[in-house]
Amino acid sequence: AIGILVSGLAARRDGAGEPMTIISCDNVSENGSKLCGAVLDFAEQKDMTLAEWIKTNIAFPNTMVDSITPASDTALFASVEQALGVEDKACVHRELFTDWVVESFDGPRPAWEKAGVIFTDDVKPYEKAKLTLVNAPHSALTYLGLLAGLKSVADVMADTGLNDYFHALSRQELIPSMGPYALMDLAQYSDRIGQRFSNPSIQHQLIQIAADGSAKLPQRLLPALEKNFKAGRSIECICLGLAAWMQFVVEQVEAGTALNDPMSAPLSALVKSRSGDTCEDVAAFLALKAIFPPWIGQEPQIMDAIVRGYTALDMHGAGPAIAATLKLVRG
């Protein structure tokens, strides 16, 4: 794909040579900057003058996209075929809600703002809101929901205890970790997310969201953990989410289920060699430097909170562990 872009840009330069904007819709942070880097790396190997022309004439704005899109499955394919009378294996099921934020756009463009696209000089505040208030609770709820035997995000939100946990995590830990925020009312934004998560028409499977936990948690939960800990604010809900991921990994490995995670090998080895002592289990997870910065395992308050959640999940299950955590958070 990068080679095709570079070849197209070479043709653009050799033709009219007009500047243009290439928009990345990849659901990753700094997607435009990453795309620009890949294009320039490829172009430099082909033609340094082309690379210089791209730097001068082509814009790669960063964007933020947000719309819950469960993985397509056989049920969706069958539903679409019944509705349209044709087989479409490229169909996608998503919620009605969308956010598309695009950084400074060079040159003429369609009037996308009439359809709700937000143009901004800086996409980072929008990314921060999504990562903190959409992605972070998504992950925490996913692991707790799976430990509770649930299948989808809508199932999780229909559970009173997990629903209460979502609101406590968002209102009392995640929103405070963001500091002053002028773009929107974060409490209203979080409430809207709760409504989106509760949509029974979007059967977003927890096992799909659970994939790649070792890569997601450092971005989604650890920044809020660090900020709240340093500010002396509550960390109990965040630590329960981390403990739930650890318990999920243990249960998957012990059941002989392959982990869908880039660190599946070291995680599986950790579980198979664990002593069974909860403190030692948690310490072993926190010693994985590719996931956790060393200071986290050195703070007794954080260690105690994760061990408390991990032990409650192991001995009593998700429901009682959530109830105990909420009692601590609410005093």
Side-chain angles (χ1 to χ4, degrees), residues 99-112:
D99 258 349
W100 190 21
V101 184
V102 183
E103 274 184 355
S104 50
F105 195 109
D106 294 342
R109 60 169 175 79
W112 289 333

Side-chain angles (χ1 to χ4, degrees), residues 45-67:
Q45 297 179 55
K46 180 178 180 180
D47 180 351
M48 284 299 298
T49 60
L50 173 62
E52 290 300 321
W53 181 84
I54 292 173
K55 286 181 185 178
T56 303
N57 293 277
I58 308 300
F60 296 86
N62 290 315
T63 70
M64 190 279 290
V65 294
D66 182 15
S67 189

Side-chain angles (χ1 to χ4, degrees), residues 164-165 168 172 234 236-237 240 308 319-331:
D164 288 347
Y165 169 81
Q172 295 179 245
S234 174
E236 294 292 334
C237 288
L240 181 63
R308 187 160 49 246
I322 291 167
T325 298
L326 293 179
K327 186 176 180 180
L328 286 171
V329 171
R330 293 166 177 166

Side-chain angles (χ1 to χ4, degrees), residues 221-236:
L221 289 176
L222 297 192
L225 173 64
E226 180 176 6
K227 289 175 183 176
N228 284 0
F229 174 72
K230 290 181 177 179
R233 293 188 293 260
S234 174
I235 58 171
E236 294 292 334

Side-chain angles (χ1 to χ4, degrees), residues 2 36-46 51:
I2 300 301
C36 179
V39 167
L40 290 176
D41 285 347
F42 194 105
E44 286 169 358
Q45 297 179 55
K46 180 178 180 180

